[in-house]
């Protein structure tokens, strides 16, 4: 193992979600002097959708932008020996690795070692009768043939193994987001797998980095209150990490965005509940005593993190076929537009009962008025234009489409002056969570070479 | 005075649970924020938007509060019929809370 006691490890984020921009990743490779590039591309639901895709195409089920991203970064990563870690494997990490192998060869890159981390798919291992969903407390077997997928949030072990086998690119499925950042720290610094304080710190650094532009000024700007320069060319973050697990978060000089104490505080608290107890497969990270301190222009130090022994459970995302949603929108403008919008919603509600459209939940909104916050707030001044949005949950596509037809029918059958109808219907793949014993999950590494 | 004048905020979602941070713009506002922005105030402010409990966590080192709002996202992003299924807009809503005891701001 490679112990960098006195070196600084530099990890950059190449993506914070599956559709993220690609140029900032290239910029980090070219100008960030990074050792690792991590692409985090897997949201809760993405993996269930990917499992469905894999069912219809055994070579599919991985991230749609994988090829484009690899074409953009592989040549420079290979040249500079930047290791890539990503969960773009989604439901089919092995197919994703084969695609990376193919891209590498087509670019004339030979000898690239691509590691696939297998074992997060626990659909065949999980005790469906006794595992309860966190949302409904029903058992997984109650879902019957609506059950789609079960993927465990796996930790660092196999990623560290792959690094020890000199992998250049590591492709995972449902790895926990921070684990992709923690694994290279464990490997490079030689941290013990039960050094909970360091694992906690490394997890916190991963948490700061995993949403990419969200720590460099994305999802932050509020003109007049919080200014961010050049969001159109937002730079993605990199962390300079020492062997104690302290880090400086920064970005490439000259890139858009800002790294400040304020952006770092917002990201530290993003999607966490109890700051003392951030449950991860590798460690329980403790955010409660973290210190965030500006140490230079666009440079913020993160220290004071800690951690405790992990639990013996792993979280599992269960994807299932839930329902269909039909939705339609129509606009009204000028005097009386709000009244006409309200009338339109009433007409649809009545049509649903008159024509017996099968739906279990409906929602009528006036966009510009109450679509986001309901009847909350005091500002009910009449707007100059309003957009009606009507959505309903239905058991099947047929009924969802009938909702769309009812909204469209408002053109000829509704209030005066309705325009710009847009309708859509979609299948709802829902995701719930459950916990399983850690020993049930057995991950392993498979290496391909280009 | 509005909370927006002395704090900033970000919203995150996990399942049907929303979390909203409230971060002091300066250390001098911190005592006022801790005193005024309680679980009850936040629960009242969000009224009909949330069905479950509100829990507050305090992080003095970074002068921040973290509010966790249970059953607040119409079933969560994968199922909700809402236009803003993530509840991303909640951070702007919390900053509309009115602050009355301005004399609690540290003057030094």
């Amino acid at each position: 193992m490679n112990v960098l006691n006195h070196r600084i490890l530099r990890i950059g984020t190449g993506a914070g979600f599956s559709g993220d921009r690609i140029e900032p990743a290239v910029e980090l490779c070219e100008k960030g002097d990074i050792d690792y590039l991590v692409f985090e591309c897997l949201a809760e639901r993405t993996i269930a959708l990917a499992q469905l895709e894999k069912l219809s195409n055994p070579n599919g089920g991985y991230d749609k932008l994988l090829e484009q991203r690899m074409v953009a970064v592989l040549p420079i990563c290979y040249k500079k020996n930047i290791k890539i870690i990503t969960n773009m494997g989604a439901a089919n990490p092995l197919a994703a690795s084969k695609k990376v192998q193919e891209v590498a060869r087509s670019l004339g890159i030979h000898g690239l070692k691509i590691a696939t981390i297998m074992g997060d798919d626990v659909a065949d291992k999980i005790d469906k009768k006794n595992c309860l969903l966190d949302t409904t407390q029903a058992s997984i077997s109650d879902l019957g043939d609506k059950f789609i997928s079960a993927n465990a949030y796996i930790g660092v072990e196999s990623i560290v193994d792959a690094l020890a086998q000199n992998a250049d690119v590591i492709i995972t499925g449902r790895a926990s987001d921070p684990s992709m950042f923690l694994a290279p720290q464990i490997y490079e610094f030689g941290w013990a797998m039960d050094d909970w304080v360091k694992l906690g710190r490394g997890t916190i650094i991963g948490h700061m980095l995993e949403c990419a532009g969200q720590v460099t000024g994305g999802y932050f700007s509020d003109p007049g209150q919080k200014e961010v320069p050049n969001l159109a060319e937002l730079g993605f973050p990199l962390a300079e990490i020492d062997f104690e697990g302290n880090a400086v978060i920064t970005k490439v000089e000259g890139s858009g965005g800002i790294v400040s104490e304020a952006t770092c505080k917002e990201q530290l608290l993003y999607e966490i509940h109890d700051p003392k107890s951030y449950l991860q497969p590798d460690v329980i990270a403790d955010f409660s005593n973290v210190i965030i301190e500006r140490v230079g222009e666009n440079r913020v130090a993160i220290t004071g993190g800690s951690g405790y022994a992990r639990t013996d459970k792993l979280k599992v995302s269960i994807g299932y076929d839930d329902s269909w949603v039909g939705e339609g929108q129509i606009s009204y403008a000028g005097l009386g537009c709000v009244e006409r919008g309200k009338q339109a919603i009433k007409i649809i509600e009545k049509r649903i009962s008159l024509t017996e459209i099968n739906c279990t939940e409906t929602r009528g909104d006036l966009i510009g008025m109450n679509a986001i916050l309901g009847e909350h707030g005091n500002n009910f001044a009449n707007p100059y234009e309003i957009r009606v949005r009507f959505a309903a949950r239905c058991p099947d596509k047929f009924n969802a489409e009938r909702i769309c037809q009812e909204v469209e029918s408002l053109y000829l059958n509704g209030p005066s002056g309705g325009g710009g109808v847009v309708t859509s219907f979609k299948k709802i793949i829902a995701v719930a969570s459950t916990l399983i014993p850690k020993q049930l999950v057995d991950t392993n590494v498979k290496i391909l070479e280009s | 005075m509005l909370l927006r004048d002395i704090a900033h905020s970000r919203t995150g979602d996990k399942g049907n649970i929303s979390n909203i941070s409230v971060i002091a713009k300066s250390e001098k506002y911190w005592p006022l924020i801790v005193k005024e922005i309680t679980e009850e105030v936040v629960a009242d402010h969000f009224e009909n938007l949330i069905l479950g409990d509100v829990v507050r966590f305090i992080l003095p080192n970074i002068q921040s509060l973290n509010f966790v709002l249970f059953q607040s996202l119409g079933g969560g992003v994968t199922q909700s019929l809402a236009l803003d299924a993530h509840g991303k807009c909640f951070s702007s809503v919390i900053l509309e809370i009115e602050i009355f005891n301005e004399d609690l701001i540290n003057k030094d």
Side-chain angles (χ1 to χ4, degrees):
Chain A
M1 190 165 275
N2 216 356
V3 179
L4 298 175
N5 272 347
H6 301 288
R7 225 197 82 190
I8 294 291
L9 175 64
R10 298 169 65 91
I11 304 178
T13 313
F17 82 105
S18 61
D20 218 340
R21 293 178 187 165
I22 295 178
E23 319 96 88
V26 177
E27 180 181 58
L28 273 172
C29 295
E30 284 172 347
K31 300 177 188 163
D33 192 23
I34 50 174
D35 304 301
Y36 288 85
L37 180 64
V38 179
F39 293 92
E40 196 294 287
C41 296
L42 210 47
E44 273 189 318
R45 176 168 47 181
T46 322
I47 193 134
L49 297 174
Q51 292 281 12
L52 280 181
E53 197 196 319
K54 188 183 164 188
L55 285 177
S56 62
N57 170 14
N59 297 316
Y62 57 83
D63 191 272
K64 302 237 173 330
L65 292 179
L66 173 78
E67 183 170 3
Q68 223 177 312
R69 288 201 172 98
M70 289 300 140
V71 167
V73 302
L74 267 190
I76 185 159
C77 287
Y78 184 67
K79 193 172 129 200
K80 294 190 164 187
N81 194 25
I82 299 167
K83 311 276 190 191
I84 297 171
I85 302 175
T86 181
N87 53 16
M88 278 191 276
N92 201 349
L94 191 58
S97 290
K98 286 179 183 158
K99 176 54 80 176
V100 175
Q101 184 186 40
E102 181 192 315
V103 170
R105 284 178 180 159
S106 75
L107 293 168
I109 297 170
H110 298 286
L112 189 79
K113 283 179 111 171
I114 304 143
T116 311
I117 311 297
M118 314 281 283
D120 65 299
D121 186 337
V122 292
D124 296 332
K125 292 184 171 180
I126 197 164
D127 176 358
K128 295 192 176 68
K129 274 207 182 83
N130 292 309
C131 272
L132 303 184
L133 302 178
D134 63 336
T135 45
T136 56
Q137 300 302 317
S139 78
I140 295 170
S141 50
D142 291 343
L143 293 171
D145 61 2
K146 289 187 174 296
F147 171 82
I148 296 171
S149 61
N151 289 82
Y153 281 76
I154 59 173
V156 292
E157 287 93 344
S158 289
I159 305 177
V160 173
D161 283 351
L163 291 170
Q165 293 178 53
N166 291 315
D168 299 297
V169 180
I170 298 175
I171 309 273
T172 76
R174 181 63 283 177
S176 171
D177 301 350
S179 299
M180 293 191 290
F181 298 86
L182 177 60
Q185 299 176 67
I186 290 174
Y187 172 69
E188 297 286 355
F189 294 128
W191 293 346
M193 287 290 195
D194 60 356
D195 188 340
W196 307 120
V197 171
K198 292 207 182 73
L199 266 53
R201 289 177 183 168
T203 295
I204 290 167
I205 296 164
H207 177 77
M208 296 302 290
L209 293 173
E210 71 178 64
C211 296
Q214 278 196 188
V215 73
T216 51
Y219 194 37
F220 181 81
S221 161
D222 189 357
Q225 297 279 326
K226 297 187 294 180
E227 304 292 343
V228 180
N230 198 7
L231 280 166
E233 294 177 285
L234 185 64
F236 283 177
L238 69 100
E240 302 169 355
I241 307 160
D242 73 15
F243 69 101
E244 292 291 343
N246 300 307
V248 170
I249 307 289
T250 185
K251 64 187 185 71
V252 168
E253 208 182 321
S255 62
I258 181 175
V259 180
S260 65
E261 290 183 6
T263 66
C264 289
K265 287 176 183 176
E266 285 198 11
Q267 186 56 27
L268 186 77
L269 296 176
Y270 180 68
E271 289 184 346
I272 73 157
H273 296 163
D274 180 351
K276 279 191 198 307
S277 172
Y278 189 62
L279 300 175
Q280 287 294 309
D282 308 303
V283 63
I284 298 175
D286 180 357
F287 292 48
S288 62
N289 291 306
V290 167
I291 296 165
I292 291 178
E293 193 178 12
R294 184 182 190 272
V295 290
E297 196 184 350
N298 289 312
R299 295 177 62 79
V300 174
I302 311 291
T303 57
S306 192
Y308 305 98
R310 66 184 177 215
T311 72
D312 56 3
K313 297 274 196 327
L314 287 182
K315 177 177 164 179
V316 175
S317 261
I318 307 293
Y320 61 97
D321 187 346
D322 180 68
S323 55
W324 286 78
V325 166
E327 177 189 329
Q329 299 185 6
I330 185 167
S331 282
Y332 299 93
L335 294 175
C337 64
V338 172
E339 292 314 311
R340 280 177 282 143
K342 287 179 179 166
Q343 187 180 35
I345 290 171
K346 286 211 177 93
I347 291 168
I348 295 182
E349 284 167 348
K350 192 161 181 193
R351 291 287 302 166
I352 287 173
S353 69
L354 282 174
T355 66
E356 295 176 341
I357 299 179
N358 191 353
C359 54
T360 55
E361 185 185 352
T362 68
R363 179 173 169 133
D365 295 313
L366 299 176
I367 295 177
M369 193 112 185
N370 63 14
I372 305 288
L373 303 174
E375 298 305 315
H376 170 89
N378 309 314
N379 190 3
F380 288 113
N382 274 356
Y384 188 69
E385 56 188 51
I386 201 94
R387 189 153 178 86
V388 171
R389 171 179 178 272
F390 197 91
R393 188 185 315 285
C394 307
D396 52 29
K397 185 178 165 191
F398 172 72
N399 283 284
E401 282 184 297
R402 288 177 70 196
I403 296 292
C404 299
Q405 286 153 11
E406 284 300 335
V407 176
E408 193 162 21
S409 297
L410 289 170
Y411 269 141
L412 276 69
N413 303 281
S416 65
V421 170
V422 171
T423 64
S424 65
F425 54 89
K426 60 184 175 188
K427 188 173 185 170
I428 297 294
I429 303 301
V431 168
S433 301
T434 190
L435 294 171
I436 61 170
K438 191 177 166 77
Q439 69 263 22
L440 206 62
V441 181
D442 183 24
T443 63
N444 58 78
V445 182
K446 185 177 162 66
I447 304 253
L448 301 175
E449 219 170 294
S450 71
Chain B
M1 180 188 237
L2 296 176
L3 182 57
R4 186 168 192 250
D5 298 322
I6 59 173
H8 57 101
S9 174
R10 173 171 295 187
T11 311
D13 71 291
K14 272 204 175 139
N16 199 16
I17 303 170
S18 173
N19 87 290
I20 312 176
S21 58
V22 172
I23 303 164
K25 283 186 178 172
S26 149
E27 222 161 309
K28 66 183 173 186
Y29 303 131
W30 175 237
L32 176 62
I33 290 170
V34 175
K35 172 122 200 313
E36 292 276 302
I37 313 301
T38 59
E39 289 168 352
E40 294 71 27
V41 165
V42 170
D44 264 9
H45 186 69
F46 280 85
E47 312 176 64
N48 49 356
L49 289 176
I50 50 175
L51 300 175
D53 290 338
V54 173
V55 178
R56 179 177 90 158
F57 295 98
I58 304 176
L59 294 101
N61 272 354
I62 55 169
Q63 292 100 46
S64 302
L65 302 175
N66 187 37
F67 288 95
V68 180
L69 281 55
F70 293 90
Q71 291 177 271
S72 54
L73 293 172
V77 67
T78 63
Q79 295 183 67
S80 168
L81 289 187
L83 190 57
D84 175 20
H86 292 92
K88 297 276 187 192
C89 296
F90 284 1
S91 58
S92 309
V93 176
I94 204 166
L95 294 179
E96 286 187 330
I97 293 177
E98 267 189 273
I99 306 272
F100 298 101
N101 292 308
E102 289 176 40
D103 50 315
L104 280 174
I105 295 174
N106 281 339
K107 297 293 189 287
D108 44 334

